[in-house]
Amino acid sequence: MAREDKIIFAGPVGAGKTAAISAVSDVELVKTEALATDDVALRKLNTTVAMDYGALHLEDGSKIHLYGTPGQDRFNFMWDILTIGGIGLVLCLDNAREDPIADMEHYLNAFRKFIDKTDVVIGVTRMDISAEPGLDRYNAKVKELGLKVPVFQIDGRRREDVKIMLLAMLAMLDPGLQR
Ligand SMILES: Nc1nc2c(ncn2[C@@H]2O[C@H](COP(=O)(O)OP(=O)(O)OP(=O)(O)O)[C@@H](O)[C@H]2O)c(=O)[nH]1
Ligand SMILES: [Mg+2]
């Protein structure tokens, strides 16, 4: 049966949350971006200040609503608001940042309450820019934290990469579903 679900994208500034939702969305993206200031401006021009919204339409008629959070901690009040009603979390991590493994731990902790009730997948972006750390390092850390989370290498700009990761999450949530 066709259904409507909500998935949330989280992760640090520049990890590709807005890019990934934009790449995979079948509707025009609703963005709330502002010109970056302070240290964020060193990474990129624009940054999400409230949320992104996009949607993926599946062949069975289901609609997956996609919400992107702002990466900056100072907007973390939006994180709790945006997770309400969500069925899963996509954690995007920028492999070219200084310590992406520490970033992973930070965001898994920040969203722990939500993750305890739902599922999470990790999409590591920008591995074309920095090949290290490898996915094995992420997997080892996930295990150390006592979690079971699949880790994908994705290019946030590629629709297929993002779609495969989302379908994997939906299959985890509901293995009986035919898609
Ligand atoms: N080279 C490379 N660039 C990528 C990849 N994935 C995303 N990008 C680019 O990296 C940038 C990511 O920026 P955003 O999508 O705005 O990042 P964000 O996570 O929404 O950041 P905030 O909203 O500031 O928290 C964009 O310019 C993307 O086109 C990747 O795998 N490789
Ligand atoms: Mg963004």
Side-chain angles (χ1 to χ4, degrees), residues 13-19 44 47-48 71 126 128-129 154-157:
V13 167
K17 303 174 294 292
T18 301
K44 60 196 181 72
T47 187
T48 302
R126 300 163 70 91
D128 53 312
I129 293 174
I154 64 163
D155 185 318
R157 303 162 297 184

Side-chain angles (χ1 to χ4, degrees), residues 13-54:
V13 167
K17 303 174 294 292
T18 301
I21 295 174
S22 166
V24 83
S25 182
D26 292 313
V27 300
E28 205 178 320
L29 199 72
V30 180
K31 295 194 282 190
T32 59
E33 287 195 316
L35 268 185
T37 52
D38 52 60
D39 53 323
V40 174
L42 300 174
R43 290 185 190 280
K44 60 196 181 72
L45 209 56
N46 295 311
T47 187
T48 302
V49 291
M51 58 174 260
D52 304 306
Y53 171 77

Side-chain angles (χ1 to χ4, degrees), residues 12-122:
V13 167
K17 303 174 294 292
T18 301
I21 295 174
S22 166
V24 83
S25 182
D26 292 313
V27 300
E28 205 178 320
L29 199 72
V30 180
K31 295 194 282 190
T32 59
E33 287 195 316
L35 268 185
T37 52
D38 52 60
D39 53 323
V40 174
L42 300 174
R43 290 185 190 280
K44 60 196 181 72
L45 209 56
N46 295 311
T47 187
T48 302
V49 291
M51 58 174 260
D52 304 306
Y53 171 77
L56 174 64
H57 297 166
L58 300 179
E59 277 161 23
D60 68 355
S62 298
K63 286 189 181 140
I64 312 298
H65 303 280
L66 309 169
Y67 286 82
T69 56
Q72 294 180 72
D73 279 16
R74 67 191 174 104
F75 296 120
N76 65 9
F77 59 91
M78 283 304 295
W79 299 357
D80 289 339
I81 294 171
L82 289 171
T83 50
I84 294 170
I87 60 154
L89 183 81
V90 174
L91 178 53
C92 296
L93 294 166
D94 173 359
N95 212 45
R97 271 170 58 99
E98 207 176 325
D99 189 350
I101 305 290
D103 292 337
M104 175 172 78
E105 202 171 352
H106 177 75
Y107 285 88
L108 285 174
N109 274 329
F111 285 89
R112 188 78 195 218
K113 260 204 239 151
F114 181 63
I115 292 168
D116 282 346
K117 294 184 296 189
T118 59
D119 264 309
V120 53
V121 293
I122 290 174

